[in-house]
Amino acid sequence: MTGFCPELSDDVIEVRDWVHAFARDVIRPAGAEWDEREETPWPILQEAAKVGLYSLDFFATQWFEQSGLALPVAFEEIFWGDAGIGLSIVGTGLAAAALSANGTPEQMGEWLPQMFGTENDVKLGAFCASEPDAGSDIGAIRTRAVHDNGDWVLNGVKTWATNGGIADVHVVVASVDPSLGTRGQASFVIPPGTPGLSMGQKFRKHGIRASHTAEVVLEDVRVPGSCLLGGKEKLDARLARVRNGERAGEQAAMRTFETTRPSVAAMAVGIARAGFEYARDYAREREQFGRKIGDNQAIAFLLADMATRVDVARLLTWRAAWMARNGRPFEQAEGSMSKLVAGETAVWVTEQAIQILGGAGYTREHPVERFHRDAKIYTIFEGTSEIQRLIIGRAVTGLPVR
């Protein structure tokens, strides 16, 4: 792959600095409070909406920026501020990506604005793919969508849904033909206030506690045919190709995950950078045995490795984002590479940050313990590290690695 140059344009630098200022002044000071409360930080979302950070216009503008680097750069700064609050701000973006990846222009025009609302009336979107028995195994999805007199009726339970149950617009992956596995699935928009959709269990989590995660229960949820993303004609044509043994393109949920992997990687880079910077600054000030602990080669070398790994993760993320924006296929699973390396880097770097702070790092007097708790999810959600390695292994060998 040639042609990639990780140089930020003036416009991207301006966005980076603007988002960093908001993260520094608004997000980071509130991180510990909302982590303890384990609630959606509505006041922060409202502040983000007022300045234009939480808005359809911001996500659309940065998504289509020519280099592809604007959104990962912005996400790194947001999550440098705090991951839980950050996921509350960008969580709607996953539902928006699912809609954009699978929907028609008319569907995007109708539903995307309703996911974000306005600065005076903040709305949320939720993407619902995982189920109690179908996490990494998307093919095991049991939620059914049955066509009935022009409508679709959905039944099932979704789990691990960011904004699940409290969102205004839900995008739900369901099976329309279980005999076809993932190839028999489709995505549906569930409009606000649709009868039959309710929130199940709200999860109390190890990290990213300011981001709402819950089950979504669908009981005879009836939606009009226009809520099938892509439309029935396109779905019928795809199912016919599958039944005839032809290639039918990517499955709906996997198309969404592939689209968002560089952005998810950027979130992990932000957490890793926050951990490194805090540990570095601590090592510059903390004295033991008559000198700064950063003077000790063991600490300096550890910080050198932390800094290097953060840069490696960032560059892999930027490459994948640039490739996606410029239509370069992920022939070596570059999107999965970015997510794998960034997620594992965030866990490792924040763990080393705790080690550098010693006992102080293990307490809530310093944020590195929260950074570490927040980092762990990036080796699990949106595709576990094991799944990323499986995807990369298949890409580099050309074999059906199992």
Side-chain angles (χ1 to χ4, degrees), residues 86-358:
L87 200 57
S88 285
I89 293 174
V90 309
T92 293
L94 184 58
L99 177 55
S100 299
N102 300 291
T104 65
E106 293 76 18
Q107 289 170 328
M108 288 186 277
E110 179 176 3
W111 298 112
L112 284 175
Q114 295 189 52
M115 289 184 178
F116 291 91
T118 67
E119 63 178 82
N120 297 316
D121 186 20
V122 172
K123 304 292 186 183
L124 298 175
F127 179 60
C128 306
S130 294
E131 297 184 1
D133 295 319
S136 296
D137 184 7
I138 294 295
I141 283 177
R142 295 181 180 178
T143 297
R144 285 296 312 276
V146 177
H147 196 240
D148 181 47
N149 293 323
D151 293 340
W152 289 90
V153 180
L154 285 79
N155 283 279
V157 177
K158 294 296 181 179
T159 195
W160 315 122
T162 298
N163 298 333
I166 66 171
D168 299 272
V169 179
H170 292 74
V171 177
V172 175
V173 178
S175 176
V176 297
D177 187 342
S179 69
L180 301 178
T182 60
R183 297 174 298 173
Q185 295 171 2
S187 293
F188 298 83
V189 169
I190 312 299
T194 300
L197 185 148
S198 62
M199 186 179 80
Q201 176 186 3
K202 177 185 175 181
F203 296 103
R204 301 188 66 186
K205 306 189 298 294
H206 177 65
I208 55 168
R209 294 178 178 177
S211 173
H212 175 94
T213 308
E215 291 180 329
V216 175
V217 180
L218 303 133
E219 297 178 301
D220 292 328
V221 173
R222 181 177 290 270
V223 296
S226 59
C227 289
L228 167 63
L229 292 187
K232 193 169 187 301
E233 182 177 344
K234 183 178 179 181
L235 172 65
D236 288 342
R238 177 166 61 83
L239 295 180
R241 291 196 301 273
V242 173
R243 293 176 184 128
N244 289 331
E246 303 172 25
R247 292 182 60 85
E250 290 180 286
Q251 184 271 341
M254 296 311 297
R255 187 182 304 115
T256 300
F257 293 142
E258 189 68 14
T259 300
T260 58
R261 277 189 185 120
S263 293
V264 174
M267 302 174 194
V269 173
I271 300 169
R273 186 180 119 216
F276 160 70
E277 290 181 358
Y278 198 91
R280 177 201 62 197
D281 293 346
Y282 184 88
R284 286 170 172 170
E285 300 299 326
R286 172 68 168 168
E287 291 190 5
Q288 288 284 279
F289 305 107
R291 61 178 180 176
K292 309 293 187 185
I293 64 171
D295 283 343
N296 294 307
Q297 191 178 81
I299 300 297
F301 279 15
L302 185 53
L303 287 167
D305 286 342
M306 292 162 73
T308 300
R309 292 198 187 189
V310 171
D311 268 12
V312 168
R314 180 185 296 112
L315 289 170
L316 282 171
T317 299
W318 284 10
R319 181 184 68 169
W322 178 88
M323 290 178 68
R325 180 66 185 88
N326 287 277
R328 303 294 182 92
F330 290 161
E331 294 179 351
Q332 298 293 300
E334 287 87 352
S336 290
M337 287 182 181
S338 70
K339 201 271 184 182
L340 170 66
V341 172
E344 297 200 343
T345 294
V347 172
W348 184 83
V349 167
T350 53
E351 182 179 7
Q352 304 318 307
I354 293 174
Q355 192 71 23
I356 289 173
L357 269 69

